[in-house]
Amino acid sequence: MKSTGQSIFTGPARAPHRSLFHALGVGRTDLDRPLIGIANSYNELIPGHIHLNSLAQQAKYGVYQAGGIPLEFNVIGVCDGIAMNHEGMSYSLVSRENVADSVEIMVKAHALDGLVFITNCDKIVPGMVMAAARLDIPAVVVSGGPMLAGDFQGSKVSLSQVFEGLGRYLKGDLTAEELDELEESACPTCGSCAGLFTANSMSCVCEALGLSLPGDAATPAPYSARLILARRSGAAAVEVARQDWGIRRFITPASVRNALAVDAALGCSTNTVLHVMAIAKEAEVELSLDTFNEVADKTPNLVKLSPSGLHHMEDLYRAGGVMGVCKRLAEADLVDGSAPTVAGVDLAAQYNAAVIRDDEVIRPLDRPHGKTGGLAILFGNLAPGGAVVKESAVVPQMLVHEGPALVFDDEASLMKAIEADKVKPGCVVVVRYVGPKGGPGMPEMLTPTSAIAGAGLGDSVALITDGRFSGASRGASIGHVAPEAYDGGTIALVQDGDIISVDIPKRTLTLEVAEEEIARRRMAWQRPAREYSGVLRRYVASVTGADTGAVLDGGTSAS
């Protein structure tokens, strides 16, 4: 093993370093062991993180039993659900870069040989993996796992139903007492929210990339099996470090396509586009938005979990998990089984060992929910740089839609319009100046999308934005429009009443306005004045567009 840690232990000049490690309780006989950082995102603010200390403890046992020295440190995390629909949402995507930078700093400052990521939730998972890819350090990902679904009036529910409950309440379909009951029922355990939202989507992506052990994505948070997984993952991290398998061994063009195939088969969150693009950039793997469409066009949608369907992550676990989905895809040569994994075997060995226990949860190839994958990238004069929609969560009648624009320059104005019943069937709602720079931080808009769905408008209203959506969103919600309004993208030029055409099967998004008129509006357009301070000011100055993963300019490859 090419040990980084030994460089701070060897020779008389390193006596001060050894002395400091003695202060940590590390004995002289332990100093020949690899240093394995336990990057733990535990905190008491996020339900998906409240239990992570118990997993970190097990991972540390695994590291020590396998011959390593476990050294735990923490990173921040943002709960998108709590940050939703107020200024806090501007800090969510920003936190991904903070997590990545924090991990890089801790690794380099302390000469760590490898990492175990104890993680969960939307930005923490990709932030950690981005750092490892930037450094090409050996690493194993351990998810905190999904929470169990709740029960409301005899039906399984999760957080998305609470957000949609607002729309039902405003429409009069839900009483205040029922909304209270729903609120208290939807999140019954620790863990990431129970549907296939962004947190669980990213855990599925990591398992498909070979960065975590089989079962890591879907094993529910309260299950004791997760403790065993964490301990085995700690041991795996030591072996990966001993073999000097940097994470770029696992993040390759082939494994990224595997992840995109699993993403398509599952119908993952639109946010995976941002995060996979960012991870690929850090790993120096070339990836374009066209690749998402290319893979999705070949990959059937085999699974429908909430918010697209009635099943939840616990059902995917029972049915066979991510490896069960890979096993299905392998039947049609839609995944590359030769891709290596942190378990020390190839992906084929993992999915061949999987057992598919429910053909309704993981459908066979001849009976998919859809012939193409869950996500689609749309292009057109309204989105020259692309836009993203979760096709698997769109009702059939909204796959092709044309209607007049109803334009808002912020989310709060849209919510007021929904509450005042000003959003009518057939329209195309446009929310702009909420992209990476304009938001800033590209805020998620689960509140308005859920309110639209809850008000019964999900089958008649499309929503287009340069911001992004929670993985819990459903319907014709089209986000990540690039270039964003703040950069003068066409979305900044849309006016109330303009006709917008959406054709998801043809992958097009069109503003039906003459090019001459668009050019005239562009000449008259002025960027709105915005004043930011602190981290947001620095972020806006360096963040790139959604079409490149909203990464920070120049923020890749520390090697």
Side-chain angles (χ1 to χ4, degrees):
M1 181 188 71
K2 183 180 67 178
S3 174
T4 304
Q6 295 311 303
S7 67
I8 62 169
F9 290 152
T10 305
R14 298 304 189 187
H17 303 73
R18 294 191 294 271
S19 181
L20 288 169
F21 270 84
H22 296 330
L24 295 174
V26 177
R28 186 176 295 276
T29 57
D30 289 330
L31 293 179
D32 61 345
R33 293 169 174 251
L35 304 181
I36 306 297
I38 310 294
N40 186 2
S41 58
Y42 163 81
N43 64 51
E44 296 181 345
L45 283 163
I46 308 178
H49 295 227
I50 191 70
H51 63 304
L52 294 188
N53 275 351
S54 61
L55 298 183
Q57 191 64 45
Q58 293 297 320
K60 287 189 282 187
Y61 289 151
V63 167
Y64 198 80
Q65 288 170 351
I69 300 177
L71 300 162
E72 184 178 354
F73 63 92
N74 289 89
V75 300
I76 66 165
V78 170
C79 178
D80 281 20
I82 296 173
M84 197 74 63
N85 197 26
H86 62 89
E87 68 176 354
M89 184 43 70
S90 284
Y91 292 84
S92 175
L93 189 57
V94 174
S95 73
R96 184 188 73 181
E97 316 309 315
N98 181 286
V99 168
D101 291 347
S102 295
V103 171
E104 177 187 353
I105 289 167
M106 293 299 287
V107 167
K108 287 296 189 182
H110 302 102
L112 300 180
D113 296 306
L115 291 164
V116 178
F117 293 130
I118 310 294
T119 182
N120 226 359
C121 297
D122 301 28
K123 311 308 166 304
I124 300 90
V125 178
M128 289 180 168
V129 175
M130 285 166 64
R134 183 184 303 169
L135 301 170
D136 195 23
I137 188 173
V140 175
V141 176
V142 181
S143 164
M147 68 172 63
L148 298 174
D151 182 90
F152 175 67
Q153 297 180 349
S155 298
K156 283 186 176 182
V157 293
S158 60
L159 184 65
S160 62
Q161 279 77 32
V162 184
F163 277 94
E164 291 183 11
L166 172 62
R168 294 176 61 194
Y169 171 73
L170 293 174
K171 190 181 178 184
D173 290 344
L174 206 65
T175 66
E177 291 75 19
E178 287 174 319
L179 184 59
D180 286 345
E181 181 186 350
L182 176 59
E183 167 194 326
E184 294 176 0
S185 304
C187 299
T189 71
C190 64
S192 49
C193 297
L196 189 61
F197 313 142
T198 306
N200 293 324
S201 293
M202 285 309 302
S203 294
C204 292
V205 164
C206 284
E207 191 172 331
L209 284 170
L211 305 182
S212 53
L213 299 185
D216 186 71
T219 303
Y223 286 14
S224 296
R226 188 149 286 288
L227 300 175
I228 299 171
L229 262 174
R231 191 163 60 252
R232 290 177 53 224
S233 298
V238 175
E239 183 59 25
V240 169
R242 283 197 173 118
Q243 296 294 335
D244 195 26
W245 288 340
I247 203 168
R248 294 190 189 184
R249 169 185 168 86
F250 308 104
I251 304 175
T252 65
S255 72
V256 168
R257 291 182 76 91
N258 284 345
L260 297 187
V262 168
D263 189 317
L266 287 169
C268 288
S269 163
T270 52
N271 284 315
T272 58
V273 177
L274 280 178
H275 300 322
V276 173
M277 292 283 288
I279 289 168
K281 183 175 178 64
E282 295 285 9
E284 299 184 354
V285 171
E286 187 174 340
L287 179 63
S288 71
L289 289 175
D290 290 322
T291 307
F292 288 82
N293 277 345
E294 180 189 338
V295 173
D297 287 346
K298 298 176 182 177
T299 309
N301 180 210
L302 302 178
V303 179
K304 272 192 180 290
L305 304 183
S306 175
S308 302
L310 299 177
H311 295 120
H312 293 78
M313 288 297 292
E314 63 197 66
D315 300 302
L316 179 63
Y317 170 73
R318 173 179 52 81
V322 170
M323 287 303 112
V325 176
C326 287
K327 189 169 190 172
R328 282 277 197 252
L329 294 175
E331 295 171 12
D333 293 324
L334 293 171
V335 291
D336 183 347
S338 68
T341 73
V342 294
V345 298
D346 62 20
L347 189 69
Q350 295 187 161
Y351 63 65
N352 285 334
V355 178
I356 299 173
R357 298 182 177 88
D358 192 327
D359 283 350
E360 266 314 303
V361 178
I362 304 175
R363 287 195 172 183
L365 293 169
D366 61 359
R367 193 168 55 85
H369 292 286
K371 293 182 179 179
T372 58
L375 297 181
I377 311 297
L378 311 184
F379 296 94
N381 68 345
L382 188 51
V388 184
V389 64
K390 186 190 282 194
E391 184 176 7
S392 61
V394 181
V395 294
Q397 60 266 39
M398 288 299 293
L399 291 172
V400 178
H401 180 74
E402 183 175 283
L406 186 60
V407 183
F408 302 91
D409 286 349
D410 56 68
E411 179 183 350
S413 299
L414 169 57
M415 282 306 300
K416 290 178 182 177
I418 294 172
E419 292 172 8
D421 197 28
K422 293 181 179 179
V423 177
K424 300 300 182 183
C427 74
V428 178
V429 172
V430 175
V431 185
R432 62 193 181 190
Y433 296 109
V434 289
K437 295 179 183 177
M442 210 178 179
E444 289 183 350
M445 283 175 284
L446 179 56
T447 302
T449 57
S450 298
I452 287 171
L457 297 169
D459 59 356
S460 62
V461 170
L463 195 158
I464 298 171
T465 181
D466 52 5
R468 59 195 178 91
F469 300 109
S470 163
S473 299
R474 60 187 176 96
S477 301
I478 301 165
H480 306 196
V481 169
E484 64 174 292
Y486 194 77
D487 279 339
T490 309
I491 191 172
L493 311 178
V494 181
Q495 297 179 0
D496 284 341
D498 287 346
I499 300 300
I500 295 176
S501 298
V502 178
D503 194 326
I504 296 173
K506 291 185 178 179
R507 309 301 195 233
T508 59
L509 183 61
T510 308
L511 176 64
E512 302 291 354
V513 173
E515 286 302 315
E516 295 81 2
E517 173 61 15
I518 292 175
R520 186 192 66 78
R521 294 180 188 179
R522 193 178 303 281
M523 290 293 292
W525 175 79
Q526 291 184 327
R527 176 181 287 113
R530 300 281 176 87
E531 290 291 334
Y532 304 117
S533 61
V535 65
L536 295 184
R537 183 176 182 177
R538 296 193 298 274
Y539 184 82
V540 170
S542 58
V543 70
T544 63
D547 53 328
T548 58
V551 296
L552 300 187
D553 189 25
T556 186
S557 187
S559 60

